[in-house]
Amino acid sequence: MSGEAMADRYELRLPALEVRQGDRRIYCFAVDGKKLHSFAAVSRVRRDDDSNLQGYQRPEVLSHIRGIRRYLESDNAMLPNALVLAFDENVRFETGARRKDGVDYSVPGELVIPVDESLPDEDKPALIVDGQQRSAAIRDADLVEFPVAAVGFIADNHDDQRSQFILVNSTKPLPKGLIHELLPETSGHLPPSYARKRLPAQLMTRLNTDGQGPFYGRIASPTSPDGNIKDTAVLRMLEHSLFEGALYQYRNPEDGSGDVDRMLLHLRSFWTMVKDTFSDAWKLPPRQSRLTHGAGIQAMGFVMDSLTDGMQAEEVDCDAVRNAVLGLMPVTAWTSGMWRFPDGEQRRWNGLQNTPSDIRLLTDLLVRSVRS
C-alpha cells in the first residue's frame, strides 16, 4: 500500500464517555467539526429505481447554513448543542481506567473511528442524525478548526437510524411530509401520535409507489415532488377509514398491524371507480379541481366508508358501488358550476376550502346523496 493511501486511511481516537441507558450505550465526545465529514455523512431521503425508500434526511437548507456560517466566523461563536451521530459496527469503544469514585453507568475511554477519506458517503462509518445544517456550516466556514460536542450510538440497522431521527426531531418543526415517508419503514418505539400514523403512512406510500391504481405518482412527498395531491389529505382519509371506517375490518387493533394487501385492493377498487367516473376532474391539480383537493379527497373517503363498510375487498368492484358513485354526478361541481347544499346554501365550485367545517359540509352532501 502506498504512503498516500496510508495517509487517507487511519483511526481517529477520541476521548469519550460511555453512558448506559437501559440496554443501549451512548457515547459523549468532542470532535473537530472540520474532520466530521471525513467519517460521517448525511443520509438523504430518496427512492431508488424500485421505489424503495433510501435515507431519511431532508435536503440542505442553504440559507440556514449561510446564517450559521456567518455566526461561526464571528467573534465568540459557540454551538452548545451536541450533534447526534449513528455509528455502524466498525466503530468501537475502548474502556479506559475507571476512577475509584466512578458510577457504574458512566465509563471513560476512547471512541475509535476508522477513517478512509476515499470512501463514498454511503460507506462511511457514521451518519449525522441531528445537526446536518450545523455540520455543513462548519464544513464551509473559513475556520481552521471548530470543536463541537457530539453524542453517538451504534445503530442496529437503517430502521433504527430512522427511528432515532424521528424521535430526536419530534419536538422540532420537521416537515410533515418527510415524517410521513419515514414512518412506514421505521422500527422501535414512537410517540403515540406517530405510531397511529404508521399504518396509514404505509398505505399511502404503497398507493403512491406501487405502479398501479389512481394514486400512483399523484401524492406529493419529498421523494415524489411532481405529485399534486396533498399527502396530509390522503393520510387523514386513510386514518379515518382504518380506525372508524371500511378499512377497520383489516386492522388488528391490538398491535396496529393489518392486511395491507387487502386494504390496497379495497382502496384501489373504490378510487378507480372515482377516477373513471370523474375522469376530467381527477386529471387536474387541486387548484383546478375540488376532487383532488383536500376537501374532495377526504369527503370521498367518507363516501367510501359509507358505501363499502363491512364489504370484503374482493366485493368492492361491483355494480352497486359503481352505480352509487355515478349517482353523485348531478350533485358535484368539482371543476365548474355551483355546489347546492340541502339547507339552501350555495358555493362556487372552488368556494370549498380544506377546513373541518367545509369538509363536513361536502361530506354531508355526498353521503346523503349515496344513501338516498
Side-chain angles (χ1 to χ4, degrees), residues 33 36-37 42 79 83 128 131-140:
L36 194 63
H37 290 271
V42 173
L79 290 179
L83 280 66
I128 300 173
Q132 65 151 319
Q133 315 295 355
R134 283 169 285 160
S135 65
I138 296 170
R139 176 197 64 203
D140 297 343

Side-chain angles (χ1 to χ4, degrees), residues 324-336:
V325 174
L326 281 169
L328 291 174
M329 294 187 74
V331 302
T332 53
W334 298 123
T335 61
S336 63

Side-chain angles (χ1 to χ4, degrees), residues 176-253:
K176 288 184 178 180
L178 180 57
I179 292 178
H180 298 160
E181 284 224 88
L182 298 177
L183 281 175
E185 301 183 55
T186 299
S187 61
H189 174 75
L190 290 172
S193 60
Y194 288 153
R196 179 183 171 96
K197 287 182 170 58
R198 181 183 279 159
L199 183 54
Q202 182 182 1
L203 285 173
M204 182 174 68
T205 297
R206 291 281 301 274
L207 288 171
N208 204 29
T209 63
D210 268 5
Q212 55 185 310
F215 283 106
Y216 173 57
R218 290 294 304 276
I219 304 171
S221 72
T223 62
S224 182
D226 295 330
N228 53 30
I229 296 176
K230 288 286 290 182
D231 58 344
T232 51
V234 178
L235 195 69
R236 287 174 186 147
M237 178 268 291
L238 295 171
E239 188 173 358
H240 177 271
S241 189
L242 280 166
F243 286 89
E244 301 179 44
L247 300 182
Y248 179 85
Q249 61 182 315
Y250 311 114
R251 188 176 69 86
N252 184 337

Side-chain angles (χ1 to χ4, degrees), residues 160-185:
D160 191 22
Q161 291 170 351
R162 292 190 184 104
S163 177
Q164 294 301 322
F165 173 65
I166 290 176
L167 292 171
V168 165
N169 287 281
S170 62
T171 59
K172 300 179 182 181
L174 199 64
K176 288 184 178 180
L178 180 57
I179 292 178
H180 298 160
E181 284 224 88
L182 298 177
L183 281 175
E185 301 183 55

